Structure formats: C-alpha cells, structure tokens
C-alpha cells in the first residue's frame, strides 16, 4: 500500500522533421498526490497524454522533467522492475503457451520465489478473481473477460504498492465491461490498494473514481470528485466532456432589469436569481445548462424553441431543439409528447445555469460589485489531495 506523488512531471517527445508544428509536449508539468488506498482516474480525450503519464510512472517512459515518489522514495530513476507497482494494459499481454496458473505466477517466478509459495499465492489470487476452475487452461480457451481477470491476477500476485491500469476494460463488450467494472470496484474495496486508472470512458470514471483528474492536451484541466467535476465544471472543456449528451453551451448576454440579472440569448430570457444594483453594461458569456435540467413546461416563457429531432433512449427521450441559431438538447422521461417540428417551451432552475468566460472558457462566479468586478474566475483547479 502506498501514497503516489507526481511532481511537475513533463514529457517532451522529439518533434519529427516533417512535423515541426506539432506540440512536442505530451505531458506538461502534471502534479498529483494520490493517497494511500485512493482510486484516482485519469480521464481525457484521445491523445491528451494519459498513457504517457502512466508509462512514466511505471518506468516505461523516461520523464523530460519532474519527480515520481512512492511513499517517501524517489523512484524517478528506478528501473521498472524495481518499482513496487503493477501495470495492467489494455491488451492483456498474456503468454499464449503458458497455462493460466503459469501466467499468473510469472512475476513471482521472475523473482525466484520458491515453487510452493508461488502455487499458494496463485491459488489465493485466482480465488479472489473467480479463476480457480480455469488454472490449467491456456489463454486461447478463455473469454475476453476471463483473460482480463488473468491479467489482473498477474498484477495482483506480487501485492504491489499501487496498481497502474491503462484502459483495462476497453477490449470487452458492453455487458462484460460493466460486470468487470463492478468487480474492479469491489476488488479495490477489498484490497484497499492505491489505483491509478486510465480511461477515456466517462461512465467508468464517474462510477469508479474517488477523484478524477481530467487531462486536456497534457495538462490537468480539473481535479476533483466525480460530483465536483459534474456539478461545478471549472471550464467549458470539463462541461463539454462530462455528461452524455454533454452540457449545452451557447453564447448569451447577462443583462440587468430592475436590479435583477437575466440571461438573454436567441429564444432565451431567464432570471439568474442574482440581485445586482449598478450593474452597468451587459456582459457577454458562454452559458451552460445540462440537458436533464431543461424541463418541458408549456406555460414557460423562459426558453422557446422548435423541436428538430426526438431520440428514444428507452426510458427517456432526448429532445433536440433550436432556439434561434443555437441547437440545444433536453432530456425528458418518455413519452415526453413532443414531435419534430413542434414549438416547445422549457424552463430551467437558475441554480443550474453555469456561466463561463467566453474568451478563456473558465467558470465565472458572481460576487458583489464593491469587491471589484461583477464576475470572477475560480482559482486554477490543479491542487493536491
Ligand atoms: N513515442 C512517441 N513519440 C512521439 N510522440 C508520442 C509518442 N507516444 C505518444 N506520443 C504523442 O503524445 C501524445 C499523448 O499520447 P498518449 O498515448 O499519452 O495519449 P492517450 O491520452 O493515452 O490517448 P488514447 O486515449 O488514444 O490512448 C499524443 O499526441 C501522441 O501522439
Ligand atoms: Mg492511451
């Protein structure tokens, strides 16, 4: 069991000659403090540097700068096999000619552990992962989910300080993925081990993580609990990444009428629930509202639009609609009674309207005019535990 700390870790790949415009940094000065026993998920779009970060921690890639600490030991320059870490890859990388038992025991054989001790440990781990019946089979005779569990068992057999996992479920079909996800969550609870888990799947991140570090172009865009990222995204990037479908984002103006602030855009005119004397000029913003916070309400005058398409999700419907030139989406229980081309009216609770600075994409929060500007940005989200 271990605390894992990363201090200002960067990775610069040499730019190739025909590719001089490309950004050479895959990871830029990332700092994370992962508590003993924590499940931290690295989330982000393809190419944002998740695997590179994990591979540096595992010792498979040399950092350009920065430090990696496991408990109080600086492991930055240690060889991979010296680090008390176990890595599980997306491709299971099992040895096809070895039985399940031999595959699981491999890391112990490589460390010259006595045979009897290996057999005992392999049995223990196989038991935990429900592989007891399969120990004599070879990988070719296993399902994808079983292979994934063998790869996990091989990582667990050494009892490492921390587990590093790079999209370990992405090869599985939807049903197996959700079953293995549940298994991993309960495994983490039972072992109490530190997990650093890479995924670009937000459902995995939301359901498994104690905290999520959302990466964008090699940097940590926001670090926090799944709820914090979902309910208070620090930027339009976070707002647009989490949620399916993601938050509606549209240009709007904040304006004052009789001491109260309103959000105004094409087809939208709704109170923000903020009192403001002496507001002065209108402020251009990027407004955000999650689809599930847009409620159909025929009596509403806040949001008026025209349905363009209705998607049936089974239990719910997604109502795509236009307000002026903007396309928005609302999520409603089925049947919502809306058809394409219908004129619709919706409302939103002001508490669920997010405001972002259009130039920087950063979240704006309201405060009293005498303290300076009307809106301010939060402090940068990158912090330690
Ligand atoms: N060996 C390498 N040489 C040069 N560039 C690399 C190398 N490995 C990765 N990169 C670049 O670094 C960036 C980050 O890659 P990385 O594999 O870490 O992304 P990722 O977040 O894991 O993406 P994915 O979700 O697709 O796996 C990408 O732009 C990639 O092209
Ligand atoms: Mg990757």
């Amino acid at each position: 069991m271990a605390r894992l700390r990363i201090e200002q870790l960067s990775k610069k790949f040499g730019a190739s000659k025909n590719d001089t415009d490309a950004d050479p940094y895959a990871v830029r000065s990332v700092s994370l403090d992962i508590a003993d026993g924590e499940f931290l998920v690295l989330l982000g779009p393809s190419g944002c540097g998740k695997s590179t970060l994990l591979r540096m921690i595992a010792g498979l890639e040399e950092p350009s700068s920065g430090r990696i600490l496991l408990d109080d030991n600086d492991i930055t320059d240690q060889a991979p096999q010296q680090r008390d870490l176990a890595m599980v890859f997306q491709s299971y990388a099992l040895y096809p000619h070895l039985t399940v038992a031999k595959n699981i025991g491999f890391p112990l054989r490589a460390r010259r552990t006595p045979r009897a001790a290996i057999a005992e440990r392999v049995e223990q781990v196989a038991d935990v992962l429900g592989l007891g019946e399969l120990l004599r089979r070879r990988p070719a005779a296993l399902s994808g989910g079983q292979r994934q569990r063998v790869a996990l068992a091989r990582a667990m057999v050494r009892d490492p300080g921390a587990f590093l996992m790079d999209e370990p479920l992405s090869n599985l079909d939807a049903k197996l993925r959700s079953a293995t996800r549940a298994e991993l969550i309960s495994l983490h609870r039972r072992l109490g081990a530190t997990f650093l888990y890479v995924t670009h799947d937000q459902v995995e991140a939301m359901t498994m993580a104690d905290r999520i570090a959302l990466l964008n172009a090699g940097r940590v865009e926001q670090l926090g609990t799944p709820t914090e990222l979902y309910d208070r995204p620090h930027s339009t990037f976070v707002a647009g990444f989490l949620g399916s479908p993601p938050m509606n984002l549209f240009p709007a103006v904040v304006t004052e009428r009789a001491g109260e602030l309103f959000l105004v855009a094409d087809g939208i005119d709704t109170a923000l629930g903020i009192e403001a004397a002496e507001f002065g000029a209108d402020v251009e913003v990027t407004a955000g509202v999650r689809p599930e916070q847009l409620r159909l309400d025929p009596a509403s005058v806040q949001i008026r639009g025209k349905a363009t398409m209705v998607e049936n999700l089974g239990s719910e419907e997604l109502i795509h609609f236009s307000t002026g030139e903007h396309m928005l989406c609302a999520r409603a229980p089925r049947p919502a009674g809306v058809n394409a081309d219908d004129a619709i009216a919706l409302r939103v609770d002001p508490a669920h309207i997010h405001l972002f600075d259009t130039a920087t994409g950063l979240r704006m929060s309201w405060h009293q005019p005498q303290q300076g500007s009307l809106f301010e940005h939060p402090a940068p989200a990158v912090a330690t535990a």
Side-chain angles (χ1 to χ4, degrees):
M1 303 309 106
R3 169 183 179 194
L4 182 60
R5 271 179 296 169
I6 300 156
E7 295 178 353
Q8 301 193 335
L9 207 60
S10 294
K11 178 67 187 182
K12 188 177 174 182
F13 285 111
S16 76
K17 287 200 181 84
N18 14 358
D19 193 21
T20 44
D21 287 345
D23 179 1
Y25 280 96
V27 173
R28 295 163 187 271
S29 195
V30 168
S31 297
L32 290 170
D33 188 344
I34 306 160
D36 183 16
E38 182 172 9
F39 199 127
L40 190 121
V41 170
L42 290 174
L43 177 69
S46 184
C48 71
K50 305 180 295 293
S51 295
T52 305
L53 186 54
L54 207 67
R55 290 170 54 81
M56 286 194 283
I57 297 167
L60 304 173
E61 202 81 70
E62 197 186 328
S64 305
S65 58
R67 294 206 307 163
I68 305 160
L69 296 110
L70 193 61
D71 287 326
D72 289 322
N73 305 319
D74 186 333
I75 60 166
T76 318
D77 298 319
Q78 270 183 8
Q81 59 275 14
Q82 289 178 298
R83 303 182 185 201
D84 186 21
L85 301 166
M87 180 133 173
V88 183
F89 297 92
Q90 169 178 357
S91 57
Y92 330 113
L94 301 178
Y95 300 104
H97 57 291
L98 297 182
T99 61
V100 166
K102 288 245 160 77
N103 263 290
I104 297 175
F106 193 86
L108 297 180
R109 273 202 306 289
R111 283 178 170 69
R112 307 196 182 286
T113 310
R115 272 174 86 161
I118 297 179
E120 192 183 332
R121 181 70 186 141
V122 166
E123 225 167 274
Q124 272 176 2
V125 172
D127 222 34
V128 171
L129 289 174
L131 293 166
E133 308 286 301
L134 306 174
L135 286 173
R136 289 155 181 280
R137 292 212 202 155
R138 287 180 211 282
L142 301 176
S143 74
Q146 290 166 337
R147 282 179 216 177
Q148 194 65 66
R149 276 184 277 156
V150 175
L152 271 172
R154 188 177 52 187
M156 281 169 58
V157 78
R158 281 200 297 115
D159 205 5
F163 289 93
L164 309 176
M165 303 193 180
D166 195 350
E167 312 226 17
L169 308 186
S170 56
N171 276 333
L172 308 180
D173 67 34
K175 198 169 158 206
L176 255 178
R177 190 151 67 215
S178 105
T180 316
R181 195 167 70 211
E183 233 166 75
L184 269 177
I185 295 171
S186 88
L187 184 71
H188 172 250
R189 286 218 190 97
R190 261 179 294 155
L191 299 177
T194 311
F195 277 49
L196 181 55
Y197 186 100
V198 164
T199 184
H200 63 260
D201 180 329
Q202 50 163 311
V203 177
E204 275 178 33
M206 294 294 291
T207 52
M208 298 171 100
D210 292 319
R211 285 188 303 162
I212 297 173
L214 181 55
L215 295 189
N216 177 16
R219 288 183 211 278
V220 178
E221 182 87 16
Q222 187 169 356
L223 174 68
T225 64
T227 314
E228 283 165 357
L229 266 70
Y230 193 83
D231 291 347
R232 281 187 67 80
H234 275 290
S235 65
T236 49
F237 180 85
V238 182
F241 194 83
L242 288 177
S244 174
M247 186 182 283
N248 293 296
L249 293 167
F250 52 91
V253 169
V254 176
T255 193
E256 187 232 307
R257 279 180 222 135
E260 207 187 337
L261 295 192
F262 288 80
L263 185 77
V264 179
D266 260 354
I268 298 175
D269 193 328
T270 186
L272 283 170
I274 299 170
E275 285 176 25
E278 304 167 50
F279 180 71
D282 295 351
V283 177
E284 286 181 25
V285 298
T286 298
V289 180
R290 293 215 175 270
E292 64 270 26
Q293 301 299 347
L294 285 169
R295 303 282 154 78
L296 288 165
D297 176 1
S300 171
V301 291
Q302 295 179 353
I303 302 171
R304 297 290 188 136
K306 183 176 167 191
T308 54
M309 184 178 65
V310 178
E311 278 184 275
N312 179 355
L313 299 186
S315 62
E316 296 173 308
E317 281 174 350
L318 294 182
I319 301 156
H320 300 269
F321 64 99
S322 60
T323 59
E325 61 184 19
H326 309 306
M327 288 299 305
L328 305 182
C329 178
R331 181 193 274 273
R334 197 172 74 100
V338 172
N339 295 305
D341 295 331
D342 286 356
I344 58 172
L346 308 99
R347 66 185 154 79
V348 58
D349 177 343
H352 293 293
I353 299 175
H354 306 254
L355 301 179
F356 301 96
D357 182 313
T358 301
T360 62
L362 292 176
R363 183 182 194 87
M364 301 164 96
S365 30
W366 166 256
H367 70 125
Q368 294 305 315
Q370 60 266 31
Q371 290 172 285
S373 67
L374 286 165
F375 293 102
E376 65 178 5
H377 297 148
V382 184
T384 49

